[in-house]
């Protein structure tokens, strides 16, 4: 019965297409025009490297007033591979992604960021974030996501970062996702399930951006592990971990690229 067999195949293909299609305006998924994945170390909580996925889709007409892009990110990791021995206080881990007003091709240390803006800027940007989260942690004020608070304060009132290119904080927003919450006693870690194109962690839109312009942008992942509100305050800003990861979408469109 060749007809029935090919009908069955056709239906299977249609289901596959239906499962993968995601409209531009759906913020719960992304149909990637371009996607990049970068592996990096997230010691000591993860013993194996984790993968940051950065993905975008583009619309020529946007809301009818020029082009727009849709951007998404998430982390991939094996959920059962957390190093519970590293859990010795209540901590919150977060990741933010910064895109806009900065182009470049990642290379060098700090997961490719030193090639964008130099090692002095990486050091100063990281210590500004550590200082900001440290001041928050010792302030006694309630917070849930320390990196999100620190970044939104920095966007409103940029700190002096003379070793960095001026546009470093010149973006409308930096979406942030919390993904690991460590608890003591019990050495318990509540982990965000790893994301995917069908379940991205954060999705947002950039007005006036087209695909080729976004492909020339550098995406900067900012990752932190900081004291939770209900934790004893850190001794110094150095007790707060900040990592940077820089990546760029493949300019060719739908291909996938990676660097380490
Ligand atoms: C780039 O900078 C301009 C001027 O500060 C700002 O209006 C715009 O929102 C920024 N672009 C992005 C993608 O945030
Ligand atoms: C870890 O925390 C979760 C959520 O708070 C809780 O349901 C679970 O029982 C805890 N596990 C252990 C071993 O403490
Ligand atoms: C994308 O935008 C840039 C800058 O606004 C413009 O120069 C370029 O022609 C645009 N590309 C396409 C394919 O529309
Ligand atoms: C961690 O948080 C729990 C409540 O979630 C609290 O009971 C405990 O004292 C905190 N531990 C430390 C070391 O602050």
């Amino acid at each position: 019965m060749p007809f029935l067999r090919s009908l069955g195949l056709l239906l299977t293909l249609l289901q596959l297409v239906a499962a993968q299609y995601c409209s531009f305006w759906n913020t719960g998924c992304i149909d990637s025009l371009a996607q990049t994945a970068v592996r990096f170390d997230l010691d000591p909580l993860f013993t194996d490297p984790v993968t940051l996925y950065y993905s975008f889709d583009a619309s020529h007409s946007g809301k009818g007033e020029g082009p727009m892009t849709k951007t998404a990110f998430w982390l991939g990791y094996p959920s059962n591979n957390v190093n519970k021995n590293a859990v010795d206080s209540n901590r919150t881990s977060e990741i933010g992604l910064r895109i806009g007003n900065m182009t470049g091709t990642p290379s060098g240390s700090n997961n490719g960021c030193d090639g964008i803006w130099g090692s002095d800027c990486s050091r100063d940007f990281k210590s500004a974030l550590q200082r900001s989260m440290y001041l928050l942690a010792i302030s006694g004020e309630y917070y849930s996501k320390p990196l999100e608070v620190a970044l939104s304060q920095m966007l409103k009132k940029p700190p002096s970062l003379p070793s960095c290119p001026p546009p470093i904080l010149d973006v409308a927003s930096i979406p942030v996702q919390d993904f690991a919450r460590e608890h003591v006693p019990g050495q318990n870690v509540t982990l965000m399930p790893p994301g995917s194109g069908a379940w991205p962690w954060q999705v947002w839109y950039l007005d006036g951006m087209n695909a080729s312009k976004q492909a020339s942008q550098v995406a900067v992942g900012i990752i932190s592990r900081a004291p939770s509100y209900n934790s004893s305050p850190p001794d110094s800003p150095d007790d707060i971990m900040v990592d940077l990861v820089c990546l760029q979408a493949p300019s060719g469109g739908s291909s996938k690229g990676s660097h380490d």
Side-chain angles (χ1 to χ4, degrees):
M1 291 187 291
F3 171 72
L4 279 183
R5 223 178 292 138
S6 53
L7 185 67
L9 183 64
L10 185 66
L11 286 177
T12 312
L13 285 176
L14 281 175
Q15 274 166 356
L16 274 179
V17 169
Q20 281 173 358
Y21 179 74
C22 174
S23 92
F24 186 77
W25 299 112
N26 185 339
T27 55
C29 55
I30 188 158
D31 201 0
S32 304
L33 179 66
Q35 179 174 303
T36 306
V38 177
R39 274 159 69 83
F40 62 100
D41 287 320
L42 209 46
D43 286 334
L45 202 51
F46 294 85
T47 38
D48 292 331
V50 303
T51 307
L52 169 59
Y53 292 87
Y54 154 53
S55 170
F56 75 83
D57 192 12
S59 162
H60 295 297
S61 49
K63 291 181 195 137
E65 298 157 12
M68 259 180 123
T69 57
K70 170 184 178 180
T71 302
F73 73 84
W74 61 91
L75 286 180
Y77 41 64
S79 302
N80 54 5
N81 217 2
V82 166
N83 174 20
K84 292 202 171 167
N85 293 329
V87 181
D88 57 12
S89 73
N90 294 331
R91 290 194 177 94
T92 301
S93 293
E94 293 160 89
I95 175 166
L97 196 74
R98 178 229 173 280
I99 296 179
N101 291 327
M102 196 181 289
T103 58
T105 302
S107 67
S109 302
N110 280 299
N111 299 302
C113 293
D114 286 7
I116 302 288
W117 51 40
S119 55
D120 288 354
C121 172
S122 292
R123 183 200 59 217
D124 292 351
F125 188 35
K126 283 181 0 183
S127 44
L129 284 161
Q130 286 172 310
R131 221 166 30 241
S132 178
M133 285 186 274
Y134 172 75
L135 291 176
L136 180 67
I138 63 171
S139 72
E141 265 171 68
Y142 176 75
Y143 61 88
S144 168
K145 294 163 72 180
L147 179 67
E148 187 180 68
V149 173
L151 284 172
S152 78
Q153 284 173 351
M154 280 191 183
L155 292 188
K156 273 191 216 119
K157 194 169 175 289
S160 158
L161 293 168
S163 54
C164 291
I168 190 165
L169 291 167
D170 198 3
V171 284
S173 73
I174 302 181
V176 175
Q177 179 69 51
D178 51 333
F179 62 91
R181 288 191 183 264
E182 300 164 51
H183 309 276
V184 289
Q187 292 189 311
N188 196 343
V189 183
T190 310
L191 202 61
M192 182 86 167
S196 69
W199 195 67
W201 284 2
Q202 292 285 326
V203 172
W204 72 107
Y205 296 92
L206 296 175
D207 252 327
M209 188 79 96
N210 62 29
S212 51
K213 205 170 151 195
Q214 180 140 354
S216 70
Q217 294 287 316
V218 57
V220 182
I222 303 158
I223 299 111
S224 69
R225 180 170 175 248
S228 302
Y229 173 69
N230 56 4
S231 164
S232 31
D235 292 333
S236 87
D238 291 335
D239 292 342
I240 297 171
M241 187 212 84
V242 175
D243 273 332
L244 301 171
V245 179
C246 285
L247 63 172
Q248 194 177 19
S251 49
S254 60
S255 61
K256 294 184 182 195
S258 95
H259 67 261
D260 279 302

